[in-house]
Amino acid sequence: KSSATNTRLVVKKLFARQQHEGFGAVVRRSIGRFEFRYFDPFLVLDEFSVSAPAGFPDHPHRGFETVTYMLEGEILHEDCEGHKGVIREGGLQWMTAGKGIVHSEMPSSNSSGITHNKGLQLWINLSSRQKLVEPSYQEIESKDIAETEKDGVRVRVIAGEWNGVKSKICTRTPTMYLDFTLSPGSRISQPIPLHWNAFVYVLQGHGHFGDSKLQHSAAAAHHLLILGLGGDMLEAWNGSDSGLPLRFILVAGEPIGEPMVQFGPFVMNTQEEIDETIDDFENFRNGFEKARHWKSQAAS
Ligand SMILES: Nc1ccc(F)c(C(=O)c2c[nH]c3ncc(Cl)cc23)c1F
Ligand SMILES: [Fe+3]
């Protein structure tokens, strides 16, 4: 194994255009849309924007995790087990749906004048062994998110670690999730585990990604950049011409390598398991019991 580090190059670039989802909500779906269905272990990446009364009313999930990271405004969530709370700006909810959850995710109608509630929702698949675990939540407020700054680079560590700063999120499917802001003229070289699937999603500004000497890609907001394998480093830099900060997320995960069958918010390994899941959901069984008599306040 060569000790030299190899820079991972951008092998695919997608612009996430807007589409409707939920009830009157708008999402820019980059992973999970027809042209780019599954990037093991990642099922969906939505950049969402929603204003009351629109939102994502009562719906189920089984077999994977959702990671909701608020960029502006807030989202009220409540589930059929009585778990409820507000994910505020800069805050994070890492939900393990596991064997099944029914919940709603709605902007609070009385949010302090902020009409646009914007954020990212990433869906991470679970291995067959973990698909039916008890549902659980890991929720971190903005002030408690591990954040560090160095040489014009600010990093918020959503999952994994940066420069010795660790997130307290437990990742059932090994995942790193870093939120970078690079001031004009700054650059990063970020290690990424060799065999993990990795992508960048640009949130703001305009940046360059790849090998500064050989081949690199430029991208602006709402672009997904898929990084090729064969390297263990991401190089990124903010060409100082724009004067704007460059903000992007770097997400990488260990591929699960199992068959994946998805039916909307249900993700299992075989069609039979999907048929059973739909049957469980319709008959309020095996994890969906509490959904029988539950309606969210928001939808009531
Ligand atoms: N119809 C339908 C079916 C299945 C879903 F999971 C959803 C859903 O809840 C979301 C899909 N993208 C999202 N981005 C952010 C947030 Cl907060 C929620 C969602 C949904 F709306
Ligand atoms: Fe949901």
Side-chain angles (χ1 to χ4, degrees), residues 26-200:
V26 171
V27 304
R28 291 178 182 275
R29 181 160 294 168
S30 47
I31 298 173
R33 64 192 209 192
F34 185 71
E35 306 92 302
F36 193 57
R37 290 288 297 149
Y38 183 42
F39 187 44
D40 188 0
F42 303 112
L43 296 151
V44 165
L45 175 66
D46 276 350
E47 180 184 4
F48 63 90
S49 175
V50 63
S51 308
F56 305 94
D58 305 18
H59 60 276
H61 290 284
R62 173 181 279 183
F64 61 100
E65 299 186 308
T66 63
V67 182
T68 307
Y69 179 38
M70 289 309 294
L71 300 172
E72 280 176 43
E74 54 192 35
I75 282 279
L76 276 171
H77 69 90
E78 53 176 303
D79 74 14
C80 59
E81 307 269 339
H83 181 93
K84 59 168 62 173
V86 188
I87 316 170
R88 290 194 168 79
E89 189 157 314
L92 167 75
Q93 179 198 64
W94 195 293
M95 180 181 84
T96 304
K99 71 176 187 179
I101 201 87
V102 178
H103 72 164
S104 67
E105 298 154 294
M106 302 295 283
S108 49
S109 45
N110 59 358
S111 54
S112 53
I114 302 174
T115 54
H116 287 291
N117 303 278
K118 294 180 190 280
L120 296 169
Q121 188 169 90
L122 176 69
W123 292 13
I124 310 176
N125 204 359
L126 287 170
S127 66
S128 49
R129 296 179 308 286
Q130 304 203 66
K131 274 190 182 297
L132 301 182
V133 295
E134 279 302 307
S136 67
Y137 291 90
Q138 299 176 76
E139 289 160 328
I140 308 182
E141 288 178 23
S142 185
K143 64 179 176 55
D144 298 328
I145 286 192
E147 181 163 349
T148 182
E149 186 119 13
K150 187 173 173 234
D151 306 336
V153 174
R154 193 183 65 214
V155 188
R156 306 191 88 223
V157 185
I158 306 301
E161 70 166 288
W162 191 74
N163 222 18
V165 177
K166 279 193 171 64
S167 155
K168 53 191 169 197
I169 292 285
C170 150
T171 57
R172 284 175 176 71
T173 301
T175 301
M176 68 188 279
Y177 188 148
L178 303 173
D179 171 3
F180 284 99
T181 302
L182 272 60
S183 52
S186 62
R187 60 177 307 111
I188 55 141
S189 290
Q190 168 61 34
I192 304 174
L194 205 51
H195 302 297
W196 288 21
N197 279 335
F199 66 86
V200 160

Side-chain angles (χ1 to χ4, degrees), residues 179-252:
D179 171 3
F180 284 99
T181 302
L182 272 60
S183 52
S186 62
R187 60 177 307 111
I188 55 141
S189 290
Q190 168 61 34
I192 304 174
L194 205 51
H195 302 297
W196 288 21
N197 279 335
F199 66 86
V200 160
Y201 186 75
V202 181
L203 294 172
Q204 199 181 52
H206 178 273
H208 297 268
F209 304 85
D211 183 316
S212 46
K213 299 170 192 65
L214 290 174
Q215 184 221 352
H216 55 269
S217 282
H222 315 312
H223 280 81
L224 177 82
L225 303 164
I226 299 298
L227 302 183
L229 290 168
D232 56 359
M233 187 68 75
L234 166 73
E235 279 186 74
W237 59 101
N238 178 355
S240 53
D241 49 349
S242 68
L244 280 173
L246 165 65
R247 187 175 180 189
F248 62 90
I249 57 168
L250 168 62
V251 178

